[in-house]
Amino acid sequence: MTIQEFKSSAIKKLSTSPSPALDVSVLLEHCLKLNKTQILLNAGKELSQEEADWLEKAISLRNTGLPIAYITGNKEFYGYDFIVSPAVLIPKPDTEILVEKAIDAIIAKMEARPDIVLSICDMCTGSGCIGLSVLKQLIEEYKIPSGALPKLTMCDISPDALQIARQNAMQLLPREEAEEIRFIQTNLFSEVEYTFDVILSNPPYIPVKMVDELLKDGRNEPRLALDGDVGIFGEATKSNDGLDLIRRLLPESYEHLSGNGILLMETGEYNAQEASRLASETGFRNVKIYKDLEGQLRVTEGVK
């Protein structure tokens, strides 16, 4: 079977996908280690049996609803390639605004206090895409020397998620920087003894009924990282606004911030305004909401 023959056949098989041609293109690029242009130029090349078997299995998995990123095991975020698995959420472009605002806040703090090394917490880190993108940008774009780089702590309730974050740290950062990162398995801040200058978080914030609908399509993303209507032990609550976990996260974040510390937290466009109200009620000042690239309310910022 040639590349072109497989491509034509696979697109027809992915009739339930919203983007069959794109799906097939991504799978071919991943399997063959070729870019789009190279695939076009090699359209008549015969696939090896190993390549054909992997691609057919990938198409079958995609037809179950499994996201392409879980099939290939990687996803681009903020221009970087992250390892992903069903243990973590797939990084979304919506979250990139949180990284941008975090970098702005950190650079401003570093310029105001060049004599200190900042501390950052990435709470509910998942794949580590937020904290690692921030650190990588500080190294690559801002040329911050090793001794002046903020110290990063990455926290998650899931040990499997933390293992993915560790792998991404080792893959994306210089070894000495990756080894400086502190990883903590914790239910929010229950096991965290430190205070931070900046706390970043993309916590579970989706209302439980919306989570039920989202997971019907076989996407296989972890409910633990989606459902915001849970109590301290993960039990279901009576709310359906996606904010019960955030109601705990806000006061705990406030307690773990140093004076003038900043919290940047992702929320849904449907509950961002209520989240910002809760932040003000907690004691945060200068509370504001930033929109993502689609113009949706996405990130709440507050200062202690």
Side-chain angles (χ1 to χ4, degrees):
M1 181 188 298
T2 67
I3 291 175
Q4 185 56 50
E5 287 170 343
F6 168 79
K7 193 173 182 179
S8 300
S9 171
I11 288 172
K12 292 176 183 176
K13 290 178 181 177
L14 288 179
S15 57
T16 59
S17 168
S19 55
L22 177 61
D23 291 352
V24 173
S25 178
V26 172
L27 291 172
L28 279 168
E29 289 174 42
H30 176 80
C31 178
L32 304 179
K33 304 295 186 288
L34 300 174
N35 60 36
K36 291 181 178 65
T37 301
Q38 291 170 326
I39 286 172
L40 286 172
L41 292 174
N42 289 275
K45 179 188 174 185
E46 289 284 331
L47 294 168
S48 70
Q49 189 59 53
E50 184 180 6
E51 290 167 344
D53 289 346
W54 187 91
L55 286 164
E56 289 295 345
K57 182 178 180 182
I59 293 299
S60 296
L61 289 171
R62 183 69 185 117
N63 265 327
T64 68
L66 192 68
I68 290 290
Y70 287 156
I71 298 171
T72 62
N74 64 280
K75 177 67 175 177
E76 183 182 318
F77 176 82
Y78 216 80
Y80 305 124
D81 193 30
F82 283 86
I83 298 166
V84 296
S85 81
V88 299
L89 285 184
I90 297 167
K92 309 292 193 298
D94 296 344
T95 306
E96 293 190 355
I97 187 65
L98 199 164
V99 175
E100 290 180 13
K101 296 303 178 184
I103 293 168
D104 290 345
I106 291 164
I107 291 296
K109 279 186 170 290
M110 292 181 75
E111 289 175 347
R113 290 291 308 275
D115 56 316
I116 66 168
V117 175
L118 297 179
S119 57
I120 304 171
C121 177
D122 181 359
M123 176 56 66
C124 307
T125 190
S127 67
C129 65
I130 295 171
L132 294 176
S133 294
V134 169
L135 212 57
K136 199 162 174 65
Q137 281 283 295
L138 294 176
I139 294 169
E140 295 182 350
E141 297 300 318
Y142 291 88
K143 311 301 181 187
I144 305 298
S146 181
L149 273 176
K151 300 303 180 184
L152 178 62
T153 297
M154 307 180 83
C155 302
D156 205 286
I157 195 172
S158 164
D160 293 335
L162 284 175
Q163 184 57 35
I164 295 294
R166 283 191 186 94
Q167 291 176 36
N168 279 318
M170 294 304 295
Q171 171 179 274
L172 292 168
L173 297 175
R175 174 174 287 274
E176 61 272 21
E177 305 304 344
E179 291 176 347
E180 283 290 310
I181 297 174
R182 182 190 291 124
F183 295 91
I184 302 177
Q185 183 184 351
T186 176
N187 185 348
L188 296 184
F189 285 93
S190 63
E191 305 299 320
V192 181
E193 303 173 355
Y194 316 100
T195 58
F196 304 95
D197 299 294
V198 180
I199 294 175
L200 313 173
S201 186
N202 180 11
Y205 59 73
I206 298 178
V208 62
K209 290 182 181 177
M210 288 179 63
V211 175
D212 293 337
E213 288 300 313
L214 284 172
L215 295 180
K216 281 181 180 178
D217 65 1
R219 68 174 57 195
N220 224 34
E221 289 191 279
R223 173 180 284 273
L224 183 68
L226 294 168
D227 188 355
D229 291 320
V230 293
I232 191 169
F233 300 112
E235 72 279 11
T237 62
K238 295 182 179 179
S239 300
N240 188 39
D241 60 4
L243 292 172
D244 270 348
L245 187 139
I246 285 175
R247 289 186 179 95
R248 291 188 290 118
L249 173 62
L250 284 168
E252 291 187 28
S253 295
Y254 194 87
E255 289 178 10
H256 285 81
L257 278 171
S258 55
N260 294 312
I262 295 175
L263 169 69
L264 284 157
M265 175 183 70
E266 180 169 329
T267 56
E269 65 273 17
Y270 38 79
N271 56 16
Q273 290 183 321
E274 178 62 11
S276 67
R277 187 192 69 78
L278 290 169
S280 296
E281 192 176 85
T282 301
F284 285 97
R285 53 191 173 84
N286 301 336
V287 175
K288 59 188 74 172
I289 307 174
Y290 297 108
K291 293 181 179 179
D292 62 24
L293 296 176
E294 299 295 323
Q296 300 282 6
L297 300 176
R298 187 62 58 199
V299 173
T300 296
E301 177 184 281
V303 180
K304 180 171 178 177

